[in-house]
Amino acid sequence: MAGHGHHHSGHHGPHEHSAVFDFAEAAPRLRAHADAETDRYRRYAAALAPPGVRVAADIGCGAASMAFALAETLHDAQVVAVDAEPAMIDLVRERAAERGTPVRTALASVDDPAALAAAVGAPADFIWAGHVLHHAADPQQALDHLAGLLAPGGTLAIGEGGTAAQYLPWHLGVGRPGLELRLIEAGSRRLEDESAERGGTPLPYGWNLALERAGLREARSVHELDAAPAPLTGGDLEHAVNALAAKVDWFAHYLSEEDRTAWAELLDEAGPHWLGRRRDLHRLGVDAVHTAVRPR
Ligand SMILES: C[S@@+](CC[C@H](N)C(=O)[O-])C[C@H]1O[C@@H](n2cnc3c(N)ncnc32)[C@H](O)[C@@H]1O
């Protein structure tokens, strides 16, 4: 549960004390971006899912872009979208109704193997878990649970360990240079505290080894560049500013007073320094996906 046991000298955020993420709060932002992700997830589904998939699951699904990509490209597959957060399940149901796509939903945590097995319902040919395992109380154990849901010969694919997109020049003329690098570092410290609050330990090795330890074989990694040159415009610019605002909000407790002030100016739509008016934002990130197969 969310405790209050961690200590930070000198940093007091405006409102939060627990490092555990509140994903319900993120649902509208995930929803707003979901349609823009459709093509990327269709590409992943085509590249990663083995032939002849009958049962597929998207675990820690959020807006369930992968579940929809699977259901819309693999016509004979039953697809279930699973999340621990009821707000995400509601969101997926709305999207399924809007799209007329038959994606089943189920509430379960990656920390709970019995609930996961009940949610998926049958040995799975393909399981996707995107950016969720690093939030598990015990990531290796959660990976073991997912591996246990696979049919012999089934594939597990996890989206982990990439580089979240960066958007800003090194120096903005507001605050000290390196503002975005310090925001990333703040996120790392929050994740470390989240793990400690949950009584867990962060995974002390890479995802390829974690997949092997889960009893899987043929571990592979695929990296895809997610890039757009400056100037970002329209929806790309809006998404960049919203993504930065969300991180500043989530990691505020771990930022210095000076950086928080700089971010407040940059995110103030009515002020002279608003990021949404700049012509020098770009997007540069790397998506990493690791796959492995359950031996027959
Ligand atoms: C960063 S979002 C990723 C969403 C989506 N998979 C993607 O890659 O865009 C993390 C998601 O995992 C869910 N989540 C967090 N902890 C979880 C847990 N222990 N079990 C299952 N889902 C969890 C959150 O509710 C949220 O929807």
Side-chain angles (χ1 to χ4, degrees), residues 40 43-44 162-166 222-229 282-289:
R40 180 157 51 97
R43 229 170 32 245
Y44 284 163
T163 305
Q166 295 175 46
V222 183
H223 296 119
E224 189 176 294
L225 189 64
D226 173 25
H282 62 275
R283 186 176 70 244
L284 189 53
V286 178
D287 256 14
V289 175

Side-chain angles (χ1 to χ4, degrees), residues 50-260:
V53 170
R54 307 295 301 273
V55 177
D58 179 355
I59 312 282
C61 61
S65 295
M66 182 58 99
F68 288 109
L70 290 165
E72 289 162 7
T73 57
L74 308 173
H75 294 289
D76 295 325
Q78 295 176 36
V79 180
V80 62
V82 180
D83 204 283
E85 179 56 62
M88 297 299 178
I89 297 299
D90 291 345
L91 165 57
V92 178
R93 289 197 179 136
E94 269 170 41
R95 291 195 78 202
E98 278 167 22
R99 297 167 86 95
T101 303
V103 163
R104 195 161 59 77
T105 55
L107 192 66
S109 165
V110 292
D111 300 322
D112 182 345
L116 279 178
V120 178
D125 306 301
F126 183 66
I127 293 178
W128 166 260
H131 310 107
V132 59
L133 289 169
H134 65 271
H135 291 294
D138 182 333
Q140 180 67 61
Q141 212 170 64
L143 200 56
D144 296 351
H145 299 154
L146 296 187
L149 300 172
L150 289 172
T155 297
L156 174 60
I158 61 175
E160 291 289 351
T163 305
Q166 295 175 46
Y167 304 99
L168 302 182
W170 178 63
H171 188 24
L172 291 147
V174 175
R176 277 175 51 227
L179 196 63
E180 192 171 26
L181 294 174
R182 292 191 297 283
L183 182 63
I184 295 167
E185 210 269 333
S188 162
R189 282 186 289 125
R190 174 162 177 174
L191 200 61
E192 198 183 344
D193 274 1
E194 179 186 44
S195 171
E197 273 187 38
R198 291 213 154 114
T201 39
L203 201 67
Y205 40 81
W207 292 103
N208 61 324
L209 298 186
L211 287 164
E212 283 176 14
R213 289 192 192 198
L216 303 179
R217 300 281 176 273
E218 298 171 52
R220 292 199 174 88
S221 302
V222 183
H223 296 119
E224 189 176 294
L225 189 64
D226 173 25
L232 296 183
T233 57
D236 282 350
L237 178 59
E238 192 181 336
H239 178 65
V241 175
N242 288 343
L244 287 166
K247 285 187 193 177
V248 169
D249 189 37
W250 282 26
F251 310 148
H253 183 68
Y254 298 88
L255 294 172
S256 68
E257 186 72 47
E258 185 189 9
D259 279 2
R260 277 204 298 269

